[in-house]
Amino acid sequence: MKSSNVHDQGSARAVESLTADDDIIIMEQVCKSFGKTQALIDASLRVKKGEVCLIFGPSGGGKSTLLRCINHLERPDSGTIIVDGIPVSDAKTNIDLVRAEVGMVFQLFNLFPHLTVLGNVTIAQEKVRRRSKEEAEQVARQLLERVGIPEKADAYPGQLSGGQKQRVAIARALAMNPKIMLFDEPTSALDPEMIKEVLDVMLDLAKEGMTMVVVSHEMGFAKAAADRMVFLEGGGVIEEGTPEELFASPKEERTKLFLSQILE
Amino acid sequence: MAVATEVEKSESKLIPWTARLQKMPWWALILVLLGALTVYFILISPTYQDAFLFLISGVRLTILVSFVSFVVALILGLVLGLGRVSKNVVFYTISSLYVEVVRGIPILVLLIYFAYVLTPVALQALNALGAVMLRSDAIGPLMGFAERLASLNIQDVDMLIRAIIGLAFAYAAFEAEVFRAGIQSIERGQMEAARSLGMSYFQGMRYIILPQAIRRVLPPLGNDFISMLKDSSLISVLAVRELTHLGKLNRARTFRTFETWNTVAFLYLILTLSLSVLVKFMERRMAFEE
């Protein structure tokens, strides 16, 4: 009922009515297609402040697209997306301001190969946050300490292992002091022995109360840190609930089937 | 069996002398010999000496023209290249139109067209503008400027300037395509990462994409610089006293065809070969671990 109201009213009213509660991310009936493939069909998602939300589901189910719609790396065809009270899907919104508040970690790291680790973590601080070089470097060194690789500050990304790269990528995103962190399959491109070092950093982050939206199939992480799990298939949310609910008694047959396949 | 294989091994370490000879860089050796021969001729033969001394001032101009034109072509090419990857329809259309038109016309024709058609037309337009400004009263301090515009003469625009700009305009189209290819060769994730950190498109280009793209296109840019040095010989049709034009003059002056063009070719080779060494050196210095 609520979602149909959103479409009837203007977007200003929609923002007002939707931000009444403490949801920091609100996605209502988001549709996105690439050519003839429908990646998202009326997908809706709400994330509360401080919540860790894990999105999982079969490949091609729209997980990454949904995540990338949050900071507008994908422009949705229709629907409403409100992040921290700002309507992302509104053409008048300066999306750069929203993105500075939303950190993102990519599957393939996407570190800047021409900059050192320190440069990777400082560049956006200096150019977007307008921090001085000294301040940016201080923040960067603290964060590198936090993700456990202070000694790699002067190395280039090409000299790091996959796990180290991903930890630098997390530090790079955190350097902007984001309110929300998005993780797009952060451990899928890693060798098995490196997954833990990245998950440990993410667990710490979750404990500190960061709002996190994580696309992942790491069920260990889900059990340890997720407040809520969302099962996405065929471009829509099939089922959501706490990890206990979903692992113990999934309501939908498809969720049960998928979980049994990946938990084997 | 074991003994036999050992013998084979020790023999295989010896590369036959014929194979060694095949691996020698003969082309470089022959090149050096030919160069030494020419230097020898220049030193002992008065005809060669005369040609050399006459031509050497052309070398200076050839270097000057190539260098200035290439710098201008790089700047213009970068702007056009950014236009070729831009989502802005106007910017993209102007850039693409420029690149397609200029690439499709021979450089020789472009040079002649620019020097003898575009420059006079542009000058007439400036004259007309100056006249209009003079007729209106409200220009005040711009009076002197308007008078200068109105009295500009075609002779005021040196052929050297027209040649340099013409060459730069022609090469800007090639460099635009080099930059476009370089920018497009950078993975999409790089711009996405930059944007996800709150950088604008322009900032992402400036701090993330271009530094990587430019390193990647250094080899083709170096090649283009060498090409431009060779194509600078085309401006001899505008009677700019660069190397090739001086070659023509020297032949007319002395009727020594053989010696003249030998020396001209030799001087061009010296220039292009030392440039390619320089380019290789720069590429090595700019390389980084990817």
Side-chain angles (χ1 to χ4, degrees), chain A residues 118-168:
Chain A
L118 202 64
N120 267 277
V121 186
T122 54
I123 182 123
Q125 293 187 65
E126 287 174 38
K127 306 302 174 194
V128 181
R129 286 274 187 251
R130 302 272 161 214
R131 288 178 190 156
S132 70
K133 196 172 161 38
E134 293 73 31
E135 192 192 352
E137 280 189 7
Q138 201 189 340
V139 171
R141 285 188 195 281
Q142 276 170 5
L143 283 168
L144 289 175
E145 190 87 45
R146 186 164 153 195
V147 299
I149 37 173
E151 75 281 2
K152 294 289 183 188
D154 297 318
Y156 282 89
Q159 301 162 326
L160 303 181
S161 72
Q164 289 170 334
K165 280 183 193 167
Q166 196 60 297
R167 284 187 282 162
V168 172

Side-chain angles (χ1 to χ4, degrees), chain B residues 7 19 37 53-54 56 62 72 126 139 143 156 171 182-183 206 213 218 221 233 244 246 254 280 284:
Chain B
V7 171
L37 204 66
L53 290 175
F54 186 78
I56 198 77
T62 289
V72 177
L126 287 178
I139 51 171
M143 199 68 173
D156 294 342
Y171 262 75
I183 291 167
R206 161 85 181 72
L218 271 186
L221 287 185
S233 62
T244 307
L246 285 192
T254 61
K280 271 199 192 111
R284 219 170 291 163

Side-chain angles (χ1 to χ4, degrees), chain A residues 52 54-56 187 195-196 198-200 202-204 206-207 212 214-229 243-244 247 259 262-264:
Chain A
V52 176
L54 188 115
I55 301 174
F56 70 108
T187 55
I195 291 178
K196 189 175 175 297
V198 173
L199 288 183
D200 284 346
M202 289 169 63
L203 277 171
D204 277 350
K207 267 181 214 148
M212 292 164 73
V214 184
V215 171
S216 177
H217 289 147
E218 293 294 337
M219 289 304 148
F221 174 79
K223 279 174 192 159
D227 299 306
R228 199 149 52 92
M229 290 173 69
E244 294 77 32
F247 284 125
L259 276 174
I262 61 167
L263 286 175
E264 262 167 21

Side-chain angles (χ1 to χ4, degrees), chain A residues 68 71 73 96 99-100 102 104 106 110-114 123-124 127-128 130 158-159 172 176, chain B residues 188-190 192-201 203 207-209 211-212 215 288-290:
Chain A
R68 291 158 60 87
N71 67 349
L73 282 182
D96 293 338
R99 283 179 178 148
V102 181
M104 182 148 190
F106 299 86
N110 295 353
L111 293 181
F112 307 133
H114 62 299
I123 182 123
K127 306 302 174 194
V128 181
R130 302 272 161 214
Q159 301 162 326
R172 178 176 71 178
M176 300 295 287
Chain B
R188 250 185 63 189
Q190 290 290 309
E192 285 182 354
R195 298 304 303 269
S196 80
L197 289 166
M199 288 192 206
S200 64
Y201 175 82
Q203 284 178 322
Y207 299 112
I208 306 302
I209 305 297
Q212 297 181 57
R215 280 188 180 124
F288 67 101
E289 280 192 62
E290 281 198 56

Side-chain angles (χ1 to χ4, degrees), chain B residues 135-171:
Chain B
R135 247 177 278 139
S136 67
D137 309 319
I139 51 171
L142 286 172
M143 199 68 173
F145 179 66
E147 266 169 15
R148 271 203 65 190
L149 275 186
S151 62
L152 266 181
N153 197 301
I154 188 71
Q155 269 94 41
D156 294 342
V157 190
D158 196 73
M159 267 302 172
L160 178 64
I161 304 284
R162 295 188 221 179
I164 287 176
I165 299 177
L167 212 52
F169 278 13
Y171 262 75

